[in-house]
mmCIF file of all heavy atoms in Angstrom:
data_model
loop_
_atom_site.group_PDB
_atom_site.id
_atom_site.type_symbol
_atom_site.label_atom_id
_atom_site.label_comp_id
_atom_site.label_asym_id
_atom_site.label_seq_id
_atom_site.Cartn_x
_atom_site.Cartn_y
_atom_site.Cartn_z
ATOM 1 N N TRP A 278 296.458 74.202 137.625
ATOM 2 C CA TRP A 278 295.417 73.751 136.791
ATOM 3 C C TRP A 278 295.149 74.540 135.549
ATOM 4 O O TRP A 278 294.652 73.982 134.569
ATOM 5 C CB TRP A 278 294.090 73.661 137.705
ATOM 6 C CG TRP A 278 294.105 72.494 138.607
ATOM 7 C CD1 TRP A 278 294.544 72.476 139.911
ATOM 8 C CD2 TRP A 278 293.770 71.092 138.375
ATOM 9 N NE1 TRP A 278 294.533 71.222 140.439
ATOM 10 C CE2 TRP A 278 294.008 70.327 139.513
ATOM 11 C CE3 TRP A 278 293.235 70.466 137.258
ATOM 12 C CZ2 TRP A 278 293.739 69.028 139.623
ATOM 13 C CZ3 TRP A 278 292.937 69.154 137.303
ATOM 14 C CH2 TRP A 278 293.174 68.403 138.508
ATOM 15 N N ALA A 280 297.600 75.414 133.815
ATOM 16 C CA ALA A 280 298.623 74.710 132.945
ATOM 17 C C ALA A 280 298.035 73.329 132.497
ATOM 18 O O ALA A 280 298.102 72.963 131.304
ATOM 19 C CB ALA A 280 299.915 74.466 133.717
ATOM 20 N N LEU A 281 297.483 72.544 133.383
ATOM 21 C CA LEU A 281 296.930 71.257 133.024
ATOM 22 C C LEU A 281 295.836 71.321 132.012
ATOM 23 O O LEU A 281 295.851 70.512 131.070
ATOM 24 C CB LEU A 281 296.433 70.520 134.321
ATOM 25 C CG LEU A 281 297.469 70.092 135.316
ATOM 26 C CD1 LEU A 281 296.822 69.648 136.533
ATOM 27 C CD2 LEU A 281 298.382 69.011 134.753
ATOM 28 N N PHE A 282 294.967 72.355 132.102
ATOM 29 C CA PHE A 282 293.830 72.403 131.236
ATOM 30 C C PHE A 282 294.330 72.741 129.785
ATOM 31 O O PHE A 282 293.931 72.132 128.812
ATOM 32 C CB PHE A 282 292.879 73.487 131.682
ATOM 33 C CG PHE A 282 291.610 73.653 130.852
ATOM 34 C CD1 PHE A 282 290.492 72.964 131.231
ATOM 35 C CD2 PHE A 282 291.577 74.516 129.739
ATOM 36 C CE1 PHE A 282 289.364 73.058 130.455
ATOM 37 C CE2 PHE A 282 290.411 74.645 128.977
ATOM 38 C CZ PHE A 282 289.293 73.923 129.391
ATOM 39 N N LEU A 283 295.311 73.614 129.689
ATOM 40 C CA LEU A 283 295.905 73.958 128.353
ATOM 41 C C LEU A 283 296.587 72.700 127.786
ATOM 42 O O LEU A 283 296.429 72.436 126.582
ATOM 43 C CB LEU A 283 296.916 75.090 128.460
ATOM 44 C CG LEU A 283 296.344 76.434 128.873
ATOM 45 C CD1 LEU A 283 297.457 77.489 128.976
ATOM 46 C CD2 LEU A 283 295.256 76.939 127.770
ATOM 47 N N MET A 284 297.199 71.943 128.634
ATOM 48 C CA MET A 284 297.871 70.779 128.119
ATOM 49 C C MET A 284 296.861 69.724 127.658
ATOM 50 O O MET A 284 297.102 69.165 126.536
ATOM 51 C CB MET A 284 298.765 70.122 129.256
ATOM 52 C CG MET A 284 299.419 68.781 128.824
ATOM 53 S SD MET A 284 300.215 68.000 130.262
ATOM 54 C CE MET A 284 298.814 67.326 131.127
ATOM 55 N N TRP A 285 295.835 69.501 128.382
ATOM 56 C CA TRP A 285 294.810 68.485 127.973
ATOM 57 C C TRP A 285 294.160 68.890 126.705
ATOM 58 O O TRP A 285 293.843 68.043 125.832
ATOM 59 C CB TRP A 285 293.799 68.322 129.093
ATOM 60 C CG TRP A 285 294.352 67.602 130.316
ATOM 61 C CD1 TRP A 285 295.304 66.671 130.296
ATOM 62 C CD2 TRP A 285 293.902 67.753 131.653
ATOM 63 N NE1 TRP A 285 295.566 66.296 131.643
ATOM 64 C CE2 TRP A 285 294.678 66.873 132.497
ATOM 65 C CE3 TRP A 285 292.902 68.512 132.254
ATOM 66 C CZ2 TRP A 285 294.463 66.777 133.830
ATOM 67 C CZ3 TRP A 285 292.655 68.457 133.691
ATOM 68 C CH2 TRP A 285 293.496 67.578 134.455
ATOM 69 N N VAL A 286 293.834 70.163 126.577
ATOM 70 C CA VAL A 286 293.054 70.611 125.381
ATOM 71 C C VAL A 286 293.866 70.638 124.067
ATOM 72 O O VAL A 286 293.502 70.200 123.067
ATOM 73 C CB VAL A 286 292.473 72.073 125.617
ATOM 74 C CG1 VAL A 286 291.746 72.489 124.389
ATOM 75 C CG2 VAL A 286 291.389 71.957 126.799
ATOM 76 N N GLN A 416 290.590 76.480 135.063
ATOM 77 C CA GLN A 416 290.192 75.852 133.818
ATOM 78 C C GLN A 416 289.238 76.641 133.016
ATOM 79 O O GLN A 416 289.385 76.723 131.743
ATOM 80 C CB GLN A 416 289.618 74.467 134.195
ATOM 81 C CG GLN A 416 290.538 73.494 134.781
ATOM 82 C CD GLN A 416 289.990 72.159 134.965
ATOM 83 O OE1 GLN A 416 289.719 71.399 134.009
ATOM 84 N NE2 GLN A 416 289.809 71.722 136.217
#
Side-chain angles (χ1 to χ4, degrees):
W278 285 90
L281 290 171
F282 186 88
L283 292 179
M284 179 188 74
W285 289 332
V286 174
Q416 293 184 68

